[in-house]
Structure formats: C-alpha cells, structure tokens
Amino acid sequence: YYTSEMLAGQAGGIEDVLMEINPILEAFGNAKTVRNNNSSRFGKWIEVNIDPASRSLEGVQVVDYLLEVTRITGQGVGERNYHIFYQLAADDAMRVEFKLGD
C-alpha cells in the first residue's frame, strides 16, 4: 500500500513496471497441473527501490525466485513442466540454439 501511495498518479508507475515483467516471471514459474492449466508453482520476492524525496521509482529487482524443484525432474500423470520449456521448444530458432530435440 505504501508503495502505491508514494507513486500514485505517476506515469509509468510501479504497477506498470511490475506488470511488464510479470508474464516473463510467470512463464518460468507456472505449469499445467491436473487441477489448473496455469498453476503457479513458484514464489518470488521483489525488492522495490523508491526515492522518497522525488517520489520516483529507482529500481525493481527480483531478489529470490523459488521453484518447485521436483517439477523440473519429473511430472505427475496429466501434468507438465514449466511453461517456458514448451515456449522455447515451440520456436524453431530456439530449438536449434539450445540443441533441443524434436
């Protein structure tokens, strides 16, 4: 709440910045489960730096990004790995660059 009040009315405010990076973070942390096609399987701690004097955003940094490790090594029946792996594999250039098989 404090952050929102500090940057209220500022064009390109904190909400805009965080919303721009969120789809990237979610691609690395969301996966299909038997209950949900886009289940969040991660946790993130985002540090926001604000200059109180100018009431402006100085920076945003992802400090910790926690993944459900067992999802990387194997998935249950009807479940998939993290979305990012499928997104990379869907692009022909990426498959070649990362030496991914068919």
Side-chain angles (χ1 to χ4, degrees):
Y1 176 77
Y2 173 76
T3 302
S4 295
E5 287 297 311
M6 283 291 295
L7 300 174
Q10 180 177 336
I14 185 67
E15 293 87 359
D16 295 337
V17 173
L18 293 176
M19 292 307 290
E20 287 177 18
I21 64 169
N22 205 48
I24 298 167
L25 296 175
E26 287 195 5
F28 281 94
N30 287 7
K32 178 183 177 189
T33 65
V34 293
R35 294 184 176 183
N36 186 335
N37 285 338
N38 196 33
S39 182
S40 177
R41 312 309 301 167
F42 71 105
K44 62 187 172 192
W45 176 269
I46 299 175
E47 188 174 285
V48 179
N49 300 307
I50 299 172
D51 179 3
S54 65
R55 297 175 55 130
S56 63
L57 178 67
E58 289 186 338
V60 176
Q61 175 181 339
V62 177
V63 177
D64 287 308
Y65 196 80
L66 308 171
L67 291 175
E68 184 180 76
V69 177
T70 56
R71 183 157 304 277
I72 294 172
T73 59
Q75 297 79 47
V77 175
E79 296 194 348
R80 290 179 23 159
N81 208 320
Y82 293 105
H83 295 323
I84 191 66
F85 295 122
Y86 300 98
Q87 292 168 350
L88 290 172
D91 183 284
D92 291 334
M94 290 289 180
R95 280 203 324 268
V96 171
E97 183 177 341
F98 293 114
K99 297 177 178 65
L100 302 174
D102 287 334

